Amino acid sequence: MATVVAVVCQGEFAEHYPRQSLVRLRHILDRPHTDEAVLAAQDALRDIAAREGQLPRVWSTVIKWATEKKHLAGHRAFLSLLDPSVDPYVLQVMLAAAQQDADVKDALVEGWNVALADSRVDAECRELLVAWARVRESEQVPEGTVTEILNEVVVQHLYSTPISALIFGEPGVANDAAVIELRKDLRLPPSLSAALPNEPSPAGS
């Protein structure tokens, strides 16, 4: 039933009743496990945000869920909304806005901070950090803005599981060039920078 509701919220219902759709999606995104319904709700949220004129409403709602209410739904919504692996549109718009408005940049940093503090979304945080590294390398988003935001986040969460995976790597996981380049560009304490392993490039050079 929850999956059906999420799918409905991706259709005409969202066109006519966007606020009600977001409320219903929030309840689905608060489910304890990332099941089919949660995945469908994430798709629906991204779909609504990509519609003409809807992103400001979706963003203000999601950032409130995440930073004020600290719902699991808010953390999931924040991470899925800014995932460029499906469509970089929302991330491109929000990063462009962050370049012009310090409040937007601060909200992005705070959204990351609260998500990283919630171990229930560790896997999603790790995936999004890699996705940001890749879209940064592809030059689809402003490299400097991505790096600046992540620099602020890394300082506050150096030893959280997703950030330590980004900085130090994980056993048995081969990082691609995009992640390695981002790691090099992050501003870390000198003692920590000196402790980082020297990784060969993917080409072995």
Side-chain angles (χ1 to χ4, degrees):
M1 180 64 71
T3 304
V4 171
V5 171
V7 171
V8 168
C9 287
Q10 195 171 353
E12 289 188 13
F13 184 81
E15 194 73 37
H16 298 292
Y17 305 104
R19 188 181 301 276
Q20 291 92 325
S21 294
L22 292 174
V23 170
R24 285 161 174 76
L25 292 175
R26 188 197 74 199
H27 288 300
I28 298 171
L29 290 169
D30 237 0
R31 292 162 72 88
H33 303 293
T34 305
D35 56 13
E36 184 180 354
V38 169
L39 295 176
Q42 290 173 327
D43 286 342
L45 184 72
R46 285 190 290 260
D47 182 78
I48 296 171
R51 297 182 184 188
E52 185 175 357
Q54 290 298 331
L55 180 53
R57 180 200 299 271
V58 174
W59 171 251
S60 64
T61 301
V62 165
I63 203 65
K64 184 177 293 185
W65 294 346
T67 61
E68 294 180 17
K69 306 297 184 182
K70 295 184 168 57
H71 290 304
L72 171 60
H75 304 157
R76 279 177 170 154
F78 174 85
L79 296 167
S80 62
L81 196 61
L82 296 173
D83 184 355
S85 60
V86 177
D87 185 344
Y89 167 73
V90 172
L91 181 59
Q92 288 169 333
V93 172
M94 297 313 304
L95 290 177
Q99 290 180 306
Q100 305 297 323
D101 187 337
D103 288 342
V104 175
K105 180 190 162 193
D106 291 345
L108 286 165
V109 171
E110 182 61 14
W112 267 113
N113 284 336
V114 293
L116 287 163
D118 187 344
S119 61
R120 294 173 296 179
V121 290
D122 274 359
E124 291 90 337
C125 285
R126 284 198 298 269
E127 291 170 3
L128 188 58
L129 287 167
V130 172
W132 276 36
R134 289 172 176 165
V135 77
R136 171 183 176 269
E137 183 189 47
S138 70
E139 300 182 348
Q140 296 181 72
V141 295
E143 177 181 327
T145 306
V146 170
T147 308
E148 189 177 351
I149 289 170
L150 291 182
N151 269 329
E152 294 192 34
V153 173
V154 165
V155 168
Q156 298 187 55
H157 295 276
L158 275 174
Y159 300 106
S160 71
T161 300
I163 294 296
S164 64
L166 173 67
I167 301 301
F168 297 107
E170 298 176 274
V173 176
N175 295 128
D176 59 23
V179 173
I180 294 170
E181 286 305 310
L182 174 59
R183 183 179 296 158
K184 289 177 181 176
D185 289 344
L186 291 174
R187 186 175 60 248
L188 303 173
S191 59
L192 186 59
S193 297
L196 289 177
N198 292 319
E199 297 188 57
S201 69
S205 57

